[in-house]
Amino acid sequence: MYSRVATKAAARGYASVASPAVTSTANGIRVAATGGDSGLATVSLVINAGSRHETVETAGAAHYLKAFGFRNTQGRTSFRTIREAELNGAQLTAEATRENITYRVQCFSDAVPYFVDVLGDIAAETRFAEHEFRDVERVVEFEALSARADAATRALDGVHQAAFRGGLGNSLYAPHGSPVATGNAVAQYAKSALVGGRVAVVATGVDATELARLVGESKLSQLPSQSAPALEAAQFVGGMQQVYESASPVAHYALAFPCAPGAAPVLAALLGSRRAKWGVGSSPLAQAASRLGFSAETFSFSYSDAGVVGVLVSAQATHMREA
């Protein structure tokens, strides 16, 4: 009986993740997609223009470019884009990482052609008008202030600054007094980034051949056919950064180490500091945090040529030495 059960279990396959089909358009845009029959789809326009690519003169430009997502273009107003997204039951999001800016649409599969056109308009025809820049500027300032008000977010931003200095050390958020002070400045940053070699369209729930055809027929095909410029390799140099707030009763301490990009989430999981639902966790880190009365959370970041893993400790300021 045991052998028959074991044989059947061994014969049963495991679930696998479908590999995306990847192609390139004539102007160098990479198109990747996995199909599906759920009736739902996600389409993302990914631009290799995150804060890593900023210079002293363009500090904060990636944050502004992210905030300009789904706003007025030559052919569509932001009101029209948002209203038609609502009518189609779609969700629009824009996000920025240190390497990429992503504009994402989640929608029903039959609405994909329309939203590929919307993403094409964003890439080729966003207006960056000066009057609209003032609205975007307020959004950017609020997001930056909110991030700086959160001690954990600021600590992780500081980890990158101490570890990499420039490049990956650049903040995700526009600095106070950013040199990016006009819509034209954002437009120039976008112009340098929106070339075929720095753009990808990634989708799920969409046939790869059909997506490639839609991209080729959209305004994305009008982007210049240029390759991405050579990027200086990230170097983990290490260091220390301290921020003093005498009024805060809670202190935060982050300790980070370099690792291979693919190993970062694995190492963070092995550290295992997250609390169990009805307990404190079994890892040595979780046990120490519970015993000494502080909070410890692991973190990890994976980039194209670097990885970071570490621990963020939060404790009463008077007990940080013990933590």
PDB file of all heavy atoms in Angstrom, residues 50-64:
ATOM      1  N   GLY A  50      15.161  54.886 -13.162  1.00  0.00           N
ATOM      2  CA  GLY A  50      15.004  55.115 -11.736  1.00  0.00           C
ATOM      3  C   GLY A  50      16.050  56.068 -11.191  1.00  0.00           C
ATOM      4  O   GLY A  50      16.913  56.581 -11.921  1.00  0.00           O
ATOM      5  N   SER A  51      16.006  56.294  -9.885  1.00  0.00           N
ATOM      6  CA  SER A  51      16.889  57.298  -9.270  1.00  0.00           C
ATOM      7  C   SER A  51      18.369  56.962  -9.424  1.00  0.00           C
ATOM      8  O   SER A  51      19.221  57.845  -9.314  1.00  0.00           O
ATOM      9  CB  SER A  51      16.535  57.459  -7.790  1.00  0.00           C
ATOM     10  OG  SER A  51      16.690  56.228  -7.099  1.00  0.00           O
ATOM     11  N   ARG A  52      18.679  55.706  -9.703  1.00  0.00           N
ATOM     12  CA  ARG A  52      20.074  55.320  -9.926  1.00  0.00           C
ATOM     13  C   ARG A  52      20.698  56.125 -11.075  1.00  0.00           C
ATOM     14  O   ARG A  52      21.911  56.366 -11.093  1.00  0.00           O
ATOM     15  CB  ARG A  52      20.139  53.825 -10.249  1.00  0.00           C
ATOM     16  CG  ARG A  52      21.520  53.339 -10.623  1.00  0.00           C
ATOM     17  CD  ARG A  52      21.534  51.858 -10.913  1.00  0.00           C
ATOM     18  NE  ARG A  52      22.889  51.371 -11.072  1.00  0.00           N
ATOM     19  CZ  ARG A  52      23.237  50.092 -11.116  1.00  0.00           C
ATOM     20  NH1 ARG A  52      22.301  49.165 -11.019  1.00  0.00           N
ATOM     21  NH2 ARG A  52      24.490  49.734 -11.263  1.00  0.00           N
ATOM     22  N   HIS A  53      19.879  56.519 -12.026  1.00  0.00           N
ATOM     23  CA  HIS A  53      20.366  57.189 -13.232  1.00  0.00           C
ATOM     24  C   HIS A  53      20.455  58.707 -13.070  1.00  0.00           C
ATOM     25  O   HIS A  53      20.850  59.399 -14.008  1.00  0.00           O
ATOM     26  CB  HIS A  53      19.453  56.850 -14.408  1.00  0.00           C
ATOM     27  CG  HIS A  53      19.358  55.379 -14.684  1.00  0.00           C
ATOM     28  ND1 HIS A  53      20.231  54.719 -15.515  1.00  0.00           N
ATOM     29  CD2 HIS A  53      18.508  54.434 -14.211  1.00  0.00           C
ATOM     30  CE1 HIS A  53      19.913  53.437 -15.562  1.00  0.00           C
ATOM     31  NE2 HIS A  53      18.872  53.242 -14.775  1.00  0.00           N
ATOM     32  N   GLU A  54      20.096  59.225 -11.916  1.00  0.00           N
ATOM     33  CA  GLU A  54      20.148  60.665 -11.701  1.00  0.00           C
ATOM     34  C   GLU A  54      21.583  61.131 -11.463  1.00  0.00           C
ATOM     35  O   GLU A  54      22.442  60.384 -11.011  1.00  0.00           O
ATOM     36  CB  GLU A  54      19.290  61.050 -10.500  1.00  0.00           C
ATOM     37  CG  GLU A  54      17.800  60.787 -10.679  1.00  0.00           C
ATOM     38  CD  GLU A  54      17.014  61.008  -9.403  1.00  0.00           C
ATOM     39  OE1 GLU A  54      17.633  61.195  -8.335  1.00  0.00           O
ATOM     40  OE2 GLU A  54      15.779  60.985  -9.470  1.00  0.00           O
ATOM     41  N   THR A  55      21.806  62.398 -11.775  1.00  0.00           N
ATOM     42  CA  THR A  55      23.059  63.067 -11.461  1.00  0.00           C
ATOM     43  C   THR A  55      22.769  64.167 -10.439  1.00  0.00           C
ATOM     44  O   THR A  55      21.619  64.356 -10.022  1.00  0.00           O
ATOM     45  CB  THR A  55      23.668  63.696 -12.724  1.00  0.00           C
ATOM     46  OG1 THR A  55      22.764  64.705 -13.221  1.00  0.00           O
ATOM     47  CG2 THR A  55      23.875  62.645 -13.816  1.00  0.00           C
ATOM     48  N   VAL A  56      23.793  64.898 -10.062  1.00  0.00           N
ATOM     49  CA  VAL A  56      23.589  66.015  -9.132  1.00  0.00           C
ATOM     50  C   VAL A  56      22.611  67.024  -9.730  1.00  0.00           C
ATOM     51  O   VAL A  56      21.764  67.591  -9.029  1.00  0.00           O
ATOM     52  CB  VAL A  56      24.938  66.700  -8.815  1.00  0.00           C
ATOM     53  CG1 VAL A  56      24.710  67.949  -7.975  1.00  0.00           C
ATOM     54  CG2 VAL A  56      25.863  65.734  -8.089  1.00  0.00           C
ATOM     55  N   GLU A  57      22.702  67.221 -11.052  1.00  0.00           N
ATOM     56  CA  GLU A  57      21.837  68.206 -11.717  1.00  0.00           C
ATOM     57  C   GLU A  57      20.404  67.715 -11.892  1.00  0.00           C
ATOM     58  O   GLU A  57      19.497  68.525 -12.122  1.00  0.00           O
ATOM     59  CB  GLU A  57      22.412  68.572 -13.087  1.00  0.00           C
ATOM     60  CG  GLU A  57      23.740  69.330 -13.042  1.00  0.00           C
ATOM     61  CD  GLU A  57      24.922  68.416 -12.740  1.00  0.00           C
ATOM     62  OE1 GLU A  57      24.765  67.176 -12.893  1.00  0.00           O
ATOM     63  OE2 GLU A  57      25.977  68.928 -12.336  1.00  0.00           O
ATOM     64  N   THR A  58      20.180  66.399 -11.820  1.00  0.00           N
ATOM     65  CA  THR A  58      18.829  65.869 -12.047  1.00  0.00           C
ATOM     66  C   THR A  58      18.280  65.145 -10.821  1.00  0.00           C
ATOM     67  O   THR A  58      17.351  64.356 -10.931  1.00  0.00           O
ATOM     68  CB  THR A  58      18.822  64.903 -13.248  1.00  0.00           C
ATOM     69  OG1 THR A  58      19.726  63.806 -12.985  1.00  0.00           O
ATOM     70  CG2 THR A  58      19.231  65.607 -14.527  1.00  0.00           C
ATOM     71  N   ALA A  59      18.829  65.424  -9.640  1.00  0.00           N
ATOM     72  CA  ALA A  59      18.365  64.754  -8.421  1.00  0.00           C
ATOM     73  C   ALA A  59      16.876  64.988  -8.207  1.00  0.00           C
ATOM     74  O   ALA A  59      16.412  66.122  -8.160  1.00  0.00           O
ATOM     75  CB  ALA A  59      19.147  65.265  -7.213  1.00  0.00           C
ATOM     76  N   GLY A  60      16.112  63.912  -8.121  1.00  0.00           N
ATOM     77  CA  GLY A  60      14.675  64.007  -7.942  1.00  0.00           C
ATOM     78  C   GLY A  60      13.883  63.860  -9.223  1.00  0.00           C
ATOM     79  O   GLY A  60      12.650  63.742  -9.191  1.00  0.00           O
ATOM     80  N   ALA A  61      14.560  63.828 -10.386  1.00  0.00           N
ATOM     81  CA  ALA A  61      13.850  63.773 -11.668  1.00  0.00           C
ATOM     82  C   ALA A  61      13.042  62.489 -11.820  1.00  0.00           C
ATOM     83  O   ALA A  61      11.939  62.510 -12.376  1.00  0.00           O
ATOM     84  CB  ALA A  61      14.844  63.905 -12.822  1.00  0.00           C
ATOM     85  N   ALA A  62      13.560  61.369 -11.330  1.00  0.00           N
ATOM     86  CA  ALA A  62      12.825  60.107 -11.444  1.00  0.00           C
ATOM     87  C   ALA A  62      11.522  60.160 -10.659  1.00  0.00           C
ATOM     88  O   ALA A  62      10.488  59.651 -11.106  1.00  0.00           O
ATOM     89  CB  ALA A  62      13.695  58.948 -10.958  1.00  0.00           C
ATOM     90  N   HIS A  63      11.556  60.781  -9.487  1.00  0.00           N
ATOM     91  CA  HIS A  63      10.353  60.925  -8.673  1.00  0.00           C
ATOM     92  C   HIS A  63       9.313  61.776  -9.416  1.00  0.00           C
ATOM     93  O   HIS A  63       8.122  61.451  -9.450  1.00  0.00           O
ATOM     94  CB  HIS A  63      10.721  61.561  -7.332  1.00  0.00           C
ATOM     95  CG  HIS A  63       9.642  61.488  -6.308  1.00  0.00           C
ATOM     96  ND1 HIS A  63       9.793  61.956  -5.020  1.00  0.00           N
ATOM     97  CD2 HIS A  63       8.365  61.028  -6.372  1.00  0.00           C
ATOM     98  CE1 HIS A  63       8.681  61.780  -4.348  1.00  0.00           C
ATOM     99  NE2 HIS A  63       7.785  61.224  -5.147  1.00  0.00           N
ATOM    100  N   TYR A  64       9.757  62.852 -10.041  1.00  0.00           N
ATOM    101  CA  TYR A  64       8.846  63.705 -10.801  1.00  0.00           C
ATOM    102  C   TYR A  64       8.292  62.974 -12.020  1.00  0.00           C
ATOM    103  O   TYR A  64       7.095  63.082 -12.334  1.00  0.00           O
ATOM    104  CB  TYR A  64       9.560  64.985 -11.250  1.00  0.00           C
ATOM    105  CG  TYR A  64       9.619  66.045 -10.191  1.00  0.00           C
ATOM    106  CD1 TYR A  64      10.747  66.194  -9.389  1.00  0.00           C
ATOM    107  CD2 TYR A  64       8.553  66.916  -9.987  1.00  0.00           C
ATOM    108  CE1 TYR A  64      10.813  67.180  -8.412  1.00  0.00           C
ATOM    109  CE2 TYR A  64       8.603  67.904  -9.012  1.00  0.00           C
ATOM    110  CZ  TYR A  64       9.728  68.031  -8.234  1.00  0.00           C
ATOM    111  OH  TYR A  64       9.782  69.011  -7.253  1.00  0.00           O
TER     112      TYR A  64
END
